[in-house]
Amino acid sequence: MFEILRNFFNFCDRENRNKFYGAIVLGIFNSFFMALRIAAIAVMMQGLIRTLTLGEPFTTRTIALSSAIMVFSVTAAIISKKTVSMWQTEGGYRTCARKRIEIAEHLRYIPMGYFNKNSLGQITSVTTNTMELVGDIATRAVMLVMQGLLDSALIIFMIFFFDVRIALIALAGFLLFQFVNVFMRLSVHGVSEEKNTADENQVCKILEYIQGISEVRSYNLTGSRSRELNAVINRAKSACLKMEMRCIPISAIQSFIAKISGATIMLASIFFYLNGTMLLENCVVMLICSFMLFTALEAGGNYSALLRSIDIGVKKAQAILDVPAMDIEGSERPAEQAVTDDNLTLSAQNITFSYNADAANPRKIIDGVTLSIPPKTTTAIVGPSGGGKTTLCHLLARFWDVDSGSVTLGGKNVRDYDMDSLMSHFSFVFQNVYLFHDTVANNIRFGNPDAPMEKVIAAAKKASCHDFISALPDGYETVIGEGGASLSGGEKQRISIARAIMKDAPVIILDEATANVDPENERDLMEAISGLTKEKTVIMIAHRLKTVRKADQIIVLDRGRIVEQGKHEDLMKNQGIYSRFIDSRKKAVSWKL
């Protein structure tokens, strides 16, 4: 148990860890204040019994002393308990919030391969379910377990001052209770792992189901026919029930031990009194202690079964934070400087890359590519599907680190740049656009959150999306659905271009930016792209003849290698892959119904 508590406290940041430590120390005082009630009762009982048996007057001094101790005990206990609760609550929820932010920040800088090996559902489960467990249940369970131990230990300690025999009985009950408690934690060891895995799989499958809802509906896999989803949900339900059924009988045994220990203390106290070896006032105090002793311990014991689940959750969250981040430290180079820097050449020198580089026989996606992209020129990358075009663009912008070779920007290795400084040099317009659940204006100003509305509108006009935005119910303040679900593909694409215009980075990467645009808007969008890319270094992945033939250089990529390179006219003379690509596009355009 103490190993679990240590892991939990180490997981918390220093400020909130100190809050928990402070809560534990103050909890010791709280337990002492609670135990003072025994002393108050003892003073009162002693005065009453002396009055009844010896005829001594029941003085106001006795009443005042007992009352003073009781008032002090209750007042101090209330104040300390309130403070303990506030500290543990603040520590728990702030730890939860800060760890979510820390995980989010860490995810920005870890290799993209992590997201291939781990599903979105797994990451989502950690940042939602696990952090909720830490912020709410974990802090409550940890503090209740600790407080139960402290309260019971201090009460037993005070009983030693009254009667060693009763104290030993109480200690035996305490140790027996802890033995059963350890057995309960061991019994839920495997079940806790199963429950956490089931919860994680449930989140994964639900996310997959929602994201693929169009396919689900088109194949009529809703309701009872969605067997995989139903099975995952049922497994999560079964895991929860299994854990509860495993804990309930042992909790009942714990409760029985607590009650029987209290009863034993009562019977022993009465026996010792009748036997003449215990004073009546001490007997009465012990009877009261028998009710007080195991109350806190029993409450904490019921929560101790959750400690294993908490430990698993903390380790899963820590596992994400322990993923080695890319080397993001380096020198800064303002993007504003890059705009006017004519030496900002983007180059690759004999780079290789594979998504599973640590496998026995990794398949190279990029294999020995060398290229140079001069500043303020346009480079088109074409080639067969699966040839590595998008991967090459990701390597140039350091979404991934190359396995060998090097990528340089302005003659400096991209690994030597501060990551945020490097990213400020690039703007991206992807084929699959992601928009956030926010206003249209905030989606456009995403890379420049403080931009005034005038610049937002100007960027939207350049991207040919001002008219349709104005027609939305609340215009630029219209909240669009997560992922831009309430917009068409072409509308999302144009907002993405407006976002890139707002960022105004010196290097623009266009990954089939016109793929989702209807023919009526294509001309306007091409003009918008022309405005976006003016005086910029442009790298485009394109399949349309219009966007390729005007490029300053064309790179033909096949199976991760550059097989052709040059201008449109030169490549057409080679009668190679590019020539065949252009001929097939011309034939496709000429098709008519």
Side-chain angles (χ1 to χ4, degrees), residues 487-515:
L487 301 176
S488 70
E491 290 171 339
K492 289 191 290 185
Q493 200 81 56
R494 280 177 279 170
I495 289 179
S496 177
I497 291 173
R499 178 191 289 170
I501 291 173
M502 281 290 295
K503 188 176 182 183
D504 194 28
V507 182
I508 311 294
I509 296 180
L510 306 172
D511 187 352
E512 198 59 57
T514 61

Side-chain angles (χ1 to χ4, degrees), residues 38 41-43 45-46 49 159-166 265 269-270 272-273 277-290:
I38 299 174
I41 294 170
V43 170
M45 288 296 103
Q46 188 177 30
I49 291 170
I159 292 176
F160 269 102
F161 289 97
F162 289 90
D163 194 291
V164 174
R165 298 166 297 177
I166 299 299
I265 291 173
S269 299
I270 295 170
F272 292 145
Y273 168 70
T277 58
M278 180 183 287
L279 296 175
L280 177 59
E281 54 265 36
N282 287 354
C283 178
V284 174
V285 171
M286 292 301 99
L287 293 177
I288 295 172
C289 286
S290 68

Side-chain angles (χ1 to χ4, degrees), residues 380-384 389 540 542-543 548 554-558 578 581:
I381 303 176
V382 300
K389 301 183 293 295
M540 63 170 65
H543 297 131
V548 172
I554 300 168
I555 294 172
V556 183
L557 206 63
D558 184 24
Y578 180 79
F581 164 76

